[in-house]
Amino acid sequence: MRAVVVHGAGDLRVDEVADPVAGPGEVVVAMEWGGICGSDLAYWKHGRSGTAELRHPMVLGHEVAGRITALGQGVRGLETGQAVTFQPAQLVGDGIMPERLAGRTNLYPQVRYFGSAAFDPHTDGGFSELRAVRAEQVRPLPDSVSTRRGALAEPLAVALHAVGRAPSLTGRTVLVNGAGPIGSLVVAAAKHAGAAHVIAADLAPASLEVARAMGADSTVDLTTGTLPEDVELVFEASGAPAAIGAVLRATAKGGTVVQVGNLPGTAAEVTLGDLVTRELTWIGSYRFSEEVDDAILALADGLDVDPLMTHTFGIEDAGEALRTAADRTSGSSKVMLRLGGDQG
């Protein structure tokens, strides 16, 4: 089968690799769609993502969906031909969490994740024509959710987790700073959660156009305008340290900022005085726990992710797909890979 394999910084190949076999408790899935994420780009461009460093070739991709083709011994409740997506996280060890963190499996200390070099050997992702997956990580898709949309259940789960970290959004005005794929999904998730008015802000007009299509009621082009003032609830989705000072100033006294944009693990110069003088609450949001199930329900309920998917490439053109996703002048939001199957 073909797989999208990163061999090192700047070295991406579509390799022929052995077909997987379903072991006990596993299924083999014929992958149909994959979405390119920032971590995929980081491994390709830099040979690392955060603190995870590439030590040997690895298949990329954790935003994926497809159809089951084979069941391993002992698998129950799943069928061949079934459309599925995945919980890409697998806890390493006994899975026991401190009582204060009960249910917050995203904070478990050791997690294997599709397409991650955090462990050696690395955990291959799903940008391949076939993949063997533990049955417990499989999430069936309802008939109303195509595998193309189902591939975005994972990033939508990130957005739903961020929204869930905030106080109730019902009837509130919300600001989302940063309208990349996650920011635009936060826009959609906020509207789905009952926000009355969602403002999206970004430097790129193309990103703001996607945010509007995803449900933003108004937008701010930060090349010509500034963030609004006195917004009670703000989602910082740009991940840019230079933006944090302005975001804190835009937040109303006593308000809340949810940090969903991934900040660098190195020192950064930021202005934090408003955090104290305005008595703001600054909340971190990391990946998700089981919100992938909520994401599938939201997709079935009509949450529309189609505007996010701006570009599509076949698996044979994976290199061009990553270049497009990395090019801020391309107008891309979520770049999709056709991995195989009927692409339904």
Side-chain angles (χ1 to χ4, degrees), residues 36-256:
I36 295 173
C37 176
S39 64
D40 300 317
L41 298 177
Y43 283 122
W44 162 58
K45 293 175 72 174
H46 308 297
R48 62 186 305 129
S49 179
T51 58
E53 185 173 356
L54 199 68
R55 293 176 174 81
H56 49 75
M58 179 182 74
V59 179
L60 293 175
H62 55 266
E63 302 175 5
V64 285
R67 296 180 188 274
I68 296 173
T69 61
L71 305 176
Q73 181 181 356
V75 174
R76 301 288 183 270
L78 297 172
E79 302 175 355
T80 57
Q82 195 168 21
V84 297
T85 187
F86 311 95
Q87 161 58 279
Q90 176 190 349
L91 306 189
V92 178
D94 58 20
I96 297 174
M97 303 282 290
E99 185 175 348
R100 67 183 182 85
L101 297 178
R104 298 173 69 179
T105 53
N106 59 317
L107 300 182
Y108 189 76
Q110 291 188 305
V111 178
R112 280 193 172 273
Y113 212 83
F114 281 15
S116 170
F119 286 83
D120 193 7
H122 304 331
T123 306
D124 281 333
F127 286 173
S128 53
E129 292 177 310
L130 298 167
R131 194 189 192 283
V133 184
R134 292 166 59 96
E136 65 193 37
Q137 292 179 263
V138 172
R139 298 293 187 270
L141 295 172
D143 292 341
S144 60
V145 179
S146 68
T147 53
R148 184 170 181 262
R149 292 174 180 145
L152 297 193
E154 193 272 356
L156 178 55
V158 172
L160 290 173
H161 181 75
V163 166
R165 294 282 289 146
S168 172
L169 273 67
T170 302
R172 300 177 73 178
T173 295
V174 173
L175 168 64
V176 180
N177 183 62
I182 291 298
S184 290
L185 285 168
V186 170
V187 167
K191 295 297 287 187
H192 188 73
H197 189 95
V198 177
I199 308 161
D202 201 282
L203 295 166
S207 296
L208 293 175
E209 185 176 343
V210 171
R212 283 191 292 270
M214 295 291 286
D217 298 286
S218 59
T219 58
V220 178
D221 184 339
L222 294 175
T223 63
T224 58
T226 57
L227 293 176
E229 297 180 352
D230 293 328
V231 182
E232 190 179 352
L233 178 58
V234 179
F235 292 88
E236 202 303 294
S238 74
I244 291 175
V247 166
L248 296 179
R249 285 192 298 276
T251 308
K253 290 184 176 182
T256 299

Side-chain angles (χ1 to χ4, degrees), residues 322-334:
L322 266 73
R323 284 189 289 273
T324 300
D327 182 1
R328 291 188 60 84
T329 69
S330 69
S332 68
S333 186
K334 182 59 66 176

Side-chain angles (χ1 to χ4, degrees), residues 241 244-246 248-249 269-275:
I244 291 175
L248 296 179
R249 285 192 298 276
E269 186 173 324
V270 295
T271 302
L272 298 177
D274 287 312
L275 186 67

